[in-house]
Structure formats: C-alpha cells, structure tokens
C-alpha cells in the first residue's frame, strides 16, 4: 500500500453520543447517536454510510454526465433496511435511486444517453464505497494504550 492510497479519518467524542470526524485535510463532520431532547438533527453512523454510498456514486455519475450538460435536477436517494439477526446488526436491501433531469438540446440528449452507462459503471467498477460493501473486506479493531490508561 502506498501513502497516496491510504484514506483516514479521526473520530473524537464531543459529548455523550456526539462525535466529530476530521479528515486529513482538516474537514469536519459532526454526527451522533443521541440527543439531549430526543430530536437530534445530526446524522447517525448508519445514515452516514447511506450518504457515503449515494455520494460516491453521485460524484461518479455527475462527472460523466455534466461534461455534456448541466442537470436541471440531480437527486440520489439511498435506502436500506436495518435488521438484527444471528449475524448481528446490519443493513439489507440497499437501494440507490437516481432522479436526474436535463434541459432540452443536443448536449443534454448526450448526457441522458450516457446516464444509464454512468450509473452502471459507477456501481460495477468506480464507487469505492459500494464496491467495498458488495465485495466485503475485513475490519480490524485494536485498542491502543495511552499514557493515562493501562489495559
């Protein structure tokens, strides 16, 4: 693995059930699993996974189609059913739905024509997030001792 191929984020707890993820470029994203009033607007980790699936494939498709015409509508909906069974908690029946519209004209006709291929290519080869989920990859967890804590 090269240094250029590794991706990483650091997650810091900001309060009970509240976290902030920071990427190597300094970008931050707040998320959580709890709220003080029961009505948190923060994304949950599961919603972040759905957003990552949709965002990854949306970016691929946008690059391919918008070079021909700027869409008048570009929306991606991602759904999944959260279940708990003998294998533990997980999502099933993941579904990504594109709603894309282009204006009239020849460039937009080209964008419309390549849309199905762009979606298929993203799903089959390009989208790192959905490809990782579909192919599966081990996740290793470790606990690193700190100076103020002994394990």
């Amino acid at each position: 693995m090269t240094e250029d191929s590794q991706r990483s984020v650091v997650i810091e707890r900001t309060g009970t059930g509240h976290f902030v993820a920071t990427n190597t470029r300094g970008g931050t994203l707040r998320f959580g699993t709890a709220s003080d009033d029961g009505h948190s607007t923060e994304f949950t980790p599961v919603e972040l996974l759905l957003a990552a699936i949709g965002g990854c494939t949306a970016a691929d498709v946008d690059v391919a189609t918008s070079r021909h015409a700027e869409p008048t509508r570009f929306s991606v909906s991602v759904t999944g059913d959260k279940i708990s069974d003998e294998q533990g908690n997980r999502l099933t029946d993941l579904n990504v739905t594109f709603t894309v519209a282009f204006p009239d004209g020849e460039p937009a006709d080209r964008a419309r024509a390549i849309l199905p291929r762009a979606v298929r290519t993203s799903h089959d080869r390009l989208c790192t997030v959905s490809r990782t989920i579909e192919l599966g990859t081990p996740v290793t967890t470790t606990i690193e001792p700190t100076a103020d804590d002994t394990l």
Side-chain angles (χ1 to χ4, degrees), residues 16-59:
T16 303
H18 299 279
F19 305 88
V20 63
T22 304
N23 66 21
T24 58
R25 296 174 310 284
T28 60
L29 178 66
R30 295 187 176 283
F31 65 97
T33 59
S35 67
D36 298 331
D37 62 0
H39 297 90
S40 177
T41 59
E42 294 175 324
F43 279 79
T44 68
V46 170
E47 291 165 336
L48 290 175
L49 176 64
L50 296 174
I53 293 168
C56 182
T57 195

Coordinates of all heavy atoms in Angstrom, one line a residue, residues 16-59:
T16 N -21.7 12.8 25.3 CA -22.4 11.6 25.2 C -23.2 11.4 23.9 O -24.1 12.2 23.7 CB -23.3 11.4 26.4 OG1 -22.6 11.6 27.6 CG2 -24.0 10.1 26.5
G17 N -22.8 10.4 23.1 CA -23.4 10.1 21.9 C -23.2 11.1 20.8 O -23.8 11.1 19.8
H18 N -22.2 12.0 20.9 CA -21.9 13.0 19.9 C -20.4 12.9 19.6 O -19.6 12.8 20.4 CB -22.2 14.4 20.4 CG -23.7 14.6 20.8 ND1 -24.6 14.9 19.8 CD2 -24.3 14.5 21.9 CE1 -25.8 15.0 20.4 NE2 -25.7 14.8 21.7
F19 N -20.1 13.1 18.3 CA -18.8 12.9 17.8 C -18.5 13.9 16.6 O -19.4 14.4 16.0 CB -18.6 11.4 17.2 CG -19.0 10.4 18.3 CD1 -20.3 9.9 18.4 CD2 -18.0 9.9 19.1 CE1 -20.6 9.0 19.3 CE2 -18.3 9.0 20.1 CZ -19.7 8.5 20.2
V20 N -17.2 14.0 16.3 CA -16.8 14.8 15.2 C -15.7 14.0 14.5 O -14.8 13.5 15.1 CB -16.3 16.2 15.5 CG1 -15.1 16.2 16.4 CG2 -16.1 17.1 14.3
A21 N -15.9 13.8 13.1 CA -14.9 13.2 12.3 C -14.1 14.3 11.6 O -14.6 15.3 11.1 CB -15.6 12.3 11.3
T22 N -12.8 14.1 11.6 CA -11.9 15.0 10.9 C -11.0 14.3 9.9 O -10.4 13.3 10.3 CB -10.9 15.7 12.0 OG1 -11.7 16.3 13.0 CG2 -10.1 16.8 11.3
N23 N -11.0 14.8 8.7 CA -10.2 14.2 7.7 C -8.8 14.8 7.7 O -8.5 15.7 8.4 CB -10.8 14.2 6.3 CG -11.0 15.6 5.7 OD1 -10.3 16.5 6.1 ND2 -11.9 15.7 4.8
T24 N -7.9 14.2 6.9 CA -6.5 14.7 6.8 C -6.3 16.1 6.3 O -5.3 16.7 6.5 CB -5.6 13.7 6.0 OG1 -6.1 13.6 4.7 CG2 -5.6 12.3 6.7
R25 N -7.4 16.6 5.6 CA -7.3 18.0 5.1 C -7.9 19.0 6.0 O -8.0 20.2 5.7 CB -8.1 18.0 3.7 CG -7.4 17.1 2.6 CD -8.2 17.0 1.3 NE -9.6 16.7 1.5 CZ -10.0 15.4 1.8 NH1 -9.2 14.4 1.9 NH2 -11.3 15.2 1.9
G26 N -8.4 18.5 7.2 CA -9.0 19.4 8.2 C -10.5 19.6 8.1 O -11.1 20.3 8.9
G27 N -11.1 18.9 7.2 CA -12.6 19.0 7.1 C -13.2 18.2 8.3 O -12.7 17.2 8.8
T28 N -14.3 18.7 8.7 CA -15.0 18.1 9.9 C -16.5 17.8 9.6 O -17.1 18.4 8.7 CB -15.0 19.0 11.2 OG1 -15.6 20.2 10.9 CG2 -13.5 19.2 11.6
L29 N -17.0 16.8 10.2 CA -18.4 16.3 10.1 C -18.8 15.9 11.5 O -18.3 15.0 12.0 CB -18.4 15.2 9.1 CG -19.8 14.6 8.8 CD1 -20.7 15.6 8.2 CD2 -19.7 13.4 7.9
R30 N -19.9 16.5 11.9 CA -20.5 16.1 13.2 C -21.5 15.1 13.0 O -22.3 15.2 12.1 CB -21.0 17.4 13.9 CG -20.0 18.4 14.3 CD -20.5 19.5 15.1 NE -19.5 20.4 15.5 CZ -18.6 20.2 16.5 NH1 -18.7 19.1 17.2 NH2 -17.6 21.0 16.8
F31 N -21.6 14.1 13.9 CA -22.6 13.1 13.9 C -22.9 12.6 15.3 O -22.2 12.9 16.2 CB -22.2 11.9 12.9 CG -21.0 11.1 13.4 CD1 -21.2 10.0 14.0 CD2 -19.7 11.6 13.1 CE1 -20.1 9.2 14.5 CE2 -18.6 10.9 13.5 CZ -18.8 9.7 14.2
G32 N -23.9 11.8 15.4 CA -24.2 11.3 16.8 C -25.2 10.2 16.8 O -25.7 9.8 15.8
T33 N -25.4 9.7 18.0 CA -26.4 8.6 18.2 C -27.4 9.0 19.3 O -28.3 8.2 19.6 CB -25.6 7.3 18.7 OG1 -24.9 7.6 19.9 CG2 -24.7 6.8 17.6
A34 N -27.2 10.2 19.8 CA -28.1 10.6 20.9 C -28.4 12.1 20.8 O -27.6 12.8 20.2 CB -27.4 10.3 22.3
S35 N -29.4 12.5 21.5 CA -29.7 13.9 21.5 C -30.2 14.2 22.9 O -30.8 13.4 23.6 CB -30.7 14.3 20.5 OG -32.0 13.7 20.8
D36 N -30.0 15.4 23.3 CA -30.5 15.9 24.7 C -32.0 15.9 24.7 O -32.6 15.7 25.8 CB -29.9 17.2 25.0 CG -28.4 17.2 25.1 OD1 -27.8 16.1 25.4 OD2 -27.7 18.2 24.8
D37 N -32.6 16.3 23.6 CA -34.1 16.4 23.6 C -34.8 15.3 22.8 O -36.0 15.4 22.7 CB -34.4 17.8 23.0 CG -34.0 17.9 21.5 OD1 -33.4 17.0 21.0 OD2 -34.2 19.0 21.0
G38 N -34.1 14.3 22.3 CA -34.7 13.3 21.6 C -34.9 13.6 20.1 O -35.5 12.8 19.4
H39 N -34.5 14.7 19.7 CA -34.7 15.2 18.3 C -33.5 15.7 17.6 O -33.4 16.8 17.1 CB -35.8 16.3 18.2 CG -37.1 15.8 18.7 ND1 -37.5 15.9 20.0 CD2 -38.2 15.2 18.1 CE1 -38.7 15.4 20.2 NE2 -39.2 15.0 19.0
S40 N -32.4 14.9 17.7 CA -31.2 15.3 17.1 C -31.3 15.4 15.6 O -31.9 14.6 14.9 CB -30.1 14.3 17.4 OG -28.9 14.6 16.8
T41 N -30.6 16.4 15.0 CA -30.6 16.6 13.6 C -29.3 16.1 13.0 O -29.1 16.1 11.8 CB -30.7 18.1 13.2 OG1 -29.7 18.8 13.8 CG2 -32.1 18.7 13.6
E42 N -28.4 15.6 13.9 CA -27.1 15.0 13.4 C -27.4 13.7 12.7 O -28.3 13.0 13.0 CB -26.2 14.8 14.6 CG -25.7 16.0 15.3 CD -24.9 15.6 16.5 OE1 -25.2 14.6 17.2 OE2 -23.9 16.4 16.8
F43 N -26.5 13.4 11.7 CA -26.6 12.1 11.1 C -26.1 11.1 12.0 O -25.2 11.3 12.8 CB -25.7 12.1 9.8 CG -26.3 12.8 8.6 CD1 -26.3 14.1 8.5 CD2 -26.8 12.0 7.6 CE1 -26.9 14.7 7.4 CE2 -27.4 12.6 6.5 CZ -27.4 14.0 6.4
T44 N -26.7 9.9 11.9 CA -26.2 8.7 12.7 C -25.2 8.1 11.8 O -25.1 8.3 10.6 CB -27.4 7.7 12.9 OG1 -27.8 7.1 11.7 CG2 -28.6 8.3 13.7
P45 N -24.4 7.2 12.4 CA -23.4 6.5 11.6 C -24.0 5.7 10.4 O -23.4 5.6 9.3 CB -22.7 5.5 12.6 CG -22.8 6.3 13.9 CD -24.1 6.9 13.8
V46 N -25.2 5.1 10.6 CA -25.9 4.4 9.5 C -26.3 5.3 8.4 O -26.1 5.0 7.2 CB -27.1 3.6 10.1 CG1 -27.9 3.0 8.9 CG2 -26.6 2.5 11.0
E47 N -26.8 6.5 8.8 CA -27.1 7.5 7.8 C -25.9 8.0 7.0 O -25.9 8.2 5.8 CB -27.9 8.6 8.4 CG -29.2 8.3 8.9 CD -29.8 9.3 9.8 OE1 -29.1 10.1 10.5 OE2 -31.1 9.3 10.0
L48 N -24.8 8.1 7.7 CA -23.5 8.4 7.1 C -23.1 7.4 6.1 O -22.6 7.7 5.0 CB -22.4 8.7 8.1 CG -22.5 9.9 9.0 CD1 -21.4 9.9 10.0 CD2 -22.5 11.2 8.2
L49 N -23.3 6.1 6.4 CA -23.0 5.0 5.4 C -23.8 5.2 4.2 O -23.3 5.1 3.1 CB -23.2 3.7 6.1 CG -22.9 2.5 5.2 CD1 -21.5 2.4 4.7 CD2 -23.3 1.2 5.9
L50 N -25.1 5.4 4.4 CA -26.0 5.6 3.2 C -25.6 6.8 2.4 O -25.6 6.7 1.2 CB -27.5 5.7 3.7 CG -28.1 4.5 4.4 CD1 -29.5 4.8 4.9 CD2 -28.1 3.3 3.5
A51 N -25.3 7.9 3.1 CA -24.8 9.1 2.4 C -23.5 8.8 1.6 O -23.3 9.3 0.5 CB -24.6 10.2 3.4
A52 N -22.6 8.0 2.2 CA -21.4 7.7 1.5 C -21.6 6.9 0.3 O -21.0 7.1 -0.8 CB -20.4 6.9 2.5
I53 N -22.5 5.9 0.3 CA -22.9 5.1 -0.9 C -23.4 6.1 -1.9 O -23.0 6.1 -3.1 CB -23.9 4.0 -0.5 CG1 -23.3 3.0 0.4 CG2 -24.4 3.4 -1.8 CD1 -24.3 2.1 1.0
G54 N -24.4 6.9 -1.6 CA -25.0 7.8 -2.5 C -24.1 8.8 -3.0 O -24.1 9.2 -4.2
G55 N -23.3 9.4 -2.1 CA -22.4 10.5 -2.5 C -21.3 10.0 -3.5 O -20.9 10.7 -4.4
C56 N -20.8 8.8 -3.2 CA -19.7 8.2 -4.0 C -20.2 8.0 -5.5 O -19.6 8.5 -6.4 CB -19.2 6.9 -3.4 SG -17.9 6.1 -4.3
T57 N -21.4 7.4 -5.6 CA -21.9 7.1 -6.9 C -22.4 8.4 -7.6 O -22.3 8.5 -8.8 CB -22.9 6.0 -6.9 OG1 -23.1 5.5 -8.2 CG2 -24.2 6.4 -6.3
A58 N -23.0 9.3 -6.8 CA -23.4 10.6 -7.4 C -22.2 11.3 -8.0 O -22.4 11.9 -9.1 CB -24.1 11.4 -6.3
A59 N -21.1 11.3 -7.3 CA -19.9 12.1 -7.8 C -19.5 11.4 -9.1 O -19.2 12.2 -10.1 CB -18.8 12.0 -6.8

